[in-house]
Amino acid sequence: MGVVIKGQEMDDPKAIRDKAIDEALAVYDKAMDVAKSVYNKARDAYWDVYEETIAGPKAVYAKAIAEPKAVLEKAEAEAKSVYDKAMGDANAAYDKAIDEPKAVYNRGRDSAFWNAEYEGRSGWNTLDKAISEAKTVLDKAKAEAERSAIYVYEKAIAEPRAVFEKAMAEPRVVYDKAKSEAEAVRDKAIAEPRAVLDKAEAEAKAVRDKAIAEAEAKAVRDKGYS
């Protein structure tokens, strides 16, 4: 007599095997859902404790650096504005200075187009050289302007940056220490439910794999199915 499923007889070894495997997988999934739920609840609780523990030191640190940070950010914004203007002026000067040799080059090129090939090519070469030399001079001037603008920027923010770094040094050490200690407590606490979860997963996998192996073996025994 075959196996009866939903009012119908089933004696196909493959169907029996598939049903047994599906049941084994369902049992595994259910066991893991429960184990993961327990772990997640414990983990979240320990994370909440961690956040509460570091909230105080974090607030003290934020308060200590708030004013010098605001001063530094203002200085950086102002210095950046000066830098952008200097570079804008340098770029504009560069563009203006290169316009003239470009215009000469374009006029010469258009004129040379109507001349003999050799004369025209010679004229182009002369203009190419002229614009190349002009561009070299302008590139150097632009690079110097950029270096100067960067120097002015760094000089403008040097003092407020030093004040900020000094103001943050001690409270940062205190905050980092409190954070590190709280993390160690949190991780140690989470390790236990994590170990329970890992054990539950290993056991559930073993049960699942055993059930699947037995179903496979039974299918082969029943009708030589493989």
Side-chain angles (χ1 to χ4, degrees):
M1 167 115 17
V3 177
V4 177
I5 298 179
K6 293 184 179 178
Q8 296 181 356
E9 184 178 279
M10 182 185 75
D11 52 13
D12 178 9
K14 181 180 182 301
I16 296 171
R17 182 201 67 175
D18 291 347
K19 179 176 183 294
I21 290 174
D22 288 343
E23 290 175 350
L25 291 173
V27 169
Y28 170 78
D29 289 341
K30 184 176 181 180
M32 288 309 302
D33 285 344
V34 173
K36 284 179 181 178
S37 177
V38 171
Y39 167 74
N40 290 338
K41 186 176 181 181
R43 181 199 60 196
D44 293 346
Y46 291 130
W47 265 97
D48 289 343
V49 171
Y50 164 76
E51 294 293 349
E52 291 172 4
T53 302
I54 68 168
K58 191 174 184 179
V60 171
Y61 171 70
K63 183 177 180 181
I65 69 170
E67 186 175 344
K69 184 180 180 183
V71 172
L72 173 60
E73 289 174 347
K74 182 180 178 183
E76 285 177 336
E78 292 173 351
K80 181 69 166 54
S81 178
V82 172
Y83 169 83
D84 289 343
K85 185 177 186 304
M87 288 310 302
D89 292 344
N91 287 328
Y94 176 89
D95 292 340
K96 183 177 179 181
I98 204 71
D99 280 345
E100 185 175 348
K102 273 184 180 178
V104 172
Y105 171 78
N106 290 332
R107 286 196 300 271
R109 181 197 60 194
D110 295 340
S111 175
F113 178 77
W114 299 103
N115 296 333
E117 182 180 352
Y118 176 80
E119 183 181 352
R121 190 171 301 281
S122 176
W124 287 339
N125 290 340
T126 300
L127 290 169
D128 282 341
K129 183 179 179 182
I131 196 168
S132 177
E133 290 174 351
K135 192 171 185 302
T136 298
V137 173
L138 290 169
D139 285 341
K140 183 179 178 181
K142 186 177 177 181
E144 289 175 353
E146 184 173 13
R147 282 195 295 272
S148 176
I150 291 173
Y151 172 77
V152 171
Y153 172 83
E154 292 294 340
K155 185 178 179 181
I157 69 170
E159 185 178 346
R161 179 188 284 160
V163 171
F164 170 72
E165 290 174 350
K166 183 179 179 181
M168 72 173 284
E170 186 177 344
R172 182 76 207 191
V173 170
V174 175
Y175 170 65
D176 285 346
K177 183 173 183 290
K179 186 170 181 286
S180 179
E181 292 173 351
E183 285 174 349
V185 172
R186 177 201 67 200
D187 293 344
K188 184 179 179 181
I190 290 176
E192 184 178 346
R194 180 73 222 189
V196 172
L197 172 63
D198 291 342
K199 183 181 178 184
E201 183 175 14
E203 292 174 349
K205 281 182 178 178
V207 172
R208 177 199 66 191
D209 294 346
K210 182 181 178 183
I212 290 174
E214 290 176 350
E216 295 279 6
K218 187 175 185 304
V220 172
R221 286 196 310 271
D222 286 349
K223 285 193 177 180
Y225 175 81
S226 60

